Amino acid sequence: RENVLNNLEDKAFDKPICEALLNQKYFNGIGNYLRAEILYRSKTPPFEKARTVLEALKQEQARRQKNSSLTMSKKLKLKRDNPDLLELCHTVPMEVITSEKKLFDPSDAGNYAAFKNWLQCYLVPGMSSLRDRSGRTIWFQGEPGPMAPKGQKSRKKRAHLKADPEAPAPTVTTRASKRRSGGAEKPPELAVKEEEEKAVTDGPRKGRARGRKKAAAAPASSEPEALVRAKRTRTSARRGTGAAPAV
């Protein structure tokens, strides 16, 4: 807190407060989702000038210190019930770190659901968003502030319906299957049987035309191929010796 309020002349605070919160020199540990949650809870427009926001905190801190009518316990209660932006930079990350549900424990299957339930602004439906000058998206509610980027329109997060895990998967039908079936869907058992019969009848597609040519050229025979070859061999041997062929 002192590091921030005692160095407000730094040019880092010339930027919008949403961009200044990512400066690790002053806000160590604050990242994209944390800055959204901190600004939302403190009701601070994200594109208000950082120095303007923080100087107001400095003045409020001086006023509280001068108010001697408040006891220490009342001051602590006031601070706890109405935390300012710098106090939230401590308490909001501590909520994540000390959470009983272990929001960032990768071994816990339900940690992501618990994290989403904890978020109040970041990626929450109904919240607006803009890109800052570094290209990162800031989520917020209400007006963005005077230093908002020109030419950008605020986009609101819409709620999306989650897919039902029990719903059956859609059936994908190819053009070839539509031609074979005439557009009508067939039971899986019948389709498999037809494919098997087609494979037995037609044989493999590759080289089918060449196979038909050979079949047309060769004489039809009911005898086994090995017996036919043996007869041809005996016939050619007799012809070489001048013997008459066997009947």
Side-chain angles (χ1 to χ4, degrees):
R1 187 181 187 92
E2 290 179 2
N3 185 39
V4 172
L5 297 182
N6 292 338
N7 292 284
L8 290 181
E9 72 282 355
D10 194 320
K11 64 180 180 180
F13 301 110
D14 292 336
K15 298 180 178 181
I17 185 63
C18 66
E19 296 179 14
L21 283 173
L22 297 180
N23 188 327
Q24 300 300 292
K25 178 181 177 182
Y26 294 106
F27 302 97
N28 189 18
I30 303 300
N32 201 30
Y33 84 92
L34 285 172
R35 68 170 177 171
E37 296 298 311
I38 291 165
L39 292 171
Y40 171 77
R41 296 193 194 188
S42 64
K43 298 180 174 60
T44 304
F47 291 95
E48 186 69 57
K49 191 173 185 177
R51 187 176 289 106
T52 302
V53 174
L54 297 169
E55 281 179 347
L57 296 186
K58 191 174 184 179
Q59 294 170 4
E60 177 63 20
Q61 179 178 287
R63 189 185 65 80
R64 287 184 184 181
Q65 290 174 350
K66 288 180 179 179
N67 192 350
S68 58
S69 62
L70 294 176
T71 62
M72 182 60 67
S73 60
K74 287 183 178 180
K75 287 181 180 179
L76 291 174
K77 185 178 184 302
L78 182 64
K79 182 178 178 181
R80 184 178 63 251
D81 296 342
N82 301 281
D84 62 27
L85 184 141
L86 291 178
E87 289 160 356
L88 289 169
C89 286
H90 172 71
T91 57
V92 173
M94 287 301 294
E95 287 181 15
V96 180
I97 295 171
T98 61
S99 171
E100 293 181 1
K101 293 184 179 180
K102 298 180 180 179
L103 299 181
F104 287 116
D105 182 4
S107 63
D108 184 358
N111 68 328
Y112 182 63
F115 175 65
K116 288 184 69 176
N117 291 333
W118 174 83
L119 293 170
Q120 298 181 28
C121 178
Y122 184 76
L123 293 177
V124 173
M127 296 297 166
S128 302
S129 66
L130 285 172
R131 290 189 181 276
D132 60 22
R133 288 183 296 181
S134 65
R136 303 191 71 177
T137 301
I138 175 67
W139 298 87
F140 61 95
Q141 186 180 50
E143 294 298 321
M147 298 183 73
K150 304 297 182 184
Q152 277 195 55
K153 289 185 178 180
S154 176
R155 298 171 297 170
K156 284 204 171 183
K157 174 74 174 177
R158 296 181 181 179
H160 295 283
L161 294 176
K162 294 183 178 179
D164 184 4
E166 302 292 332
T171 304
V172 179
T173 307
T174 62
R175 291 184 180 180
S177 63
K178 283 184 178 180
R179 286 197 296 268
R180 287 197 301 270
S181 61
E185 188 176 353
K186 298 180 180 179
E189 297 82 1
L190 181 58
V192 172
K193 187 176 180 181
E194 287 182 356
E195 289 294 332
E196 290 177 350
E197 291 176 354
K198 193 174 188 308
V200 171
T201 305
D202 296 342
R205 293 186 178 183
K206 196 172 183 180
R208 207 187 322 178
R210 190 184 306 167
R212 282 199 294 268
K213 288 181 181 178
K214 289 184 178 180
S221 175
S222 60
E223 295 180 338
E225 185 178 355
L227 183 58
V228 172
R229 289 179 179 175
K231 284 185 176 182
R232 288 176 183 171
T233 303
R234 290 197 297 272
T235 301
S236 60
R238 290 192 183 97
R239 284 176 182 172
T241 58
V247 177

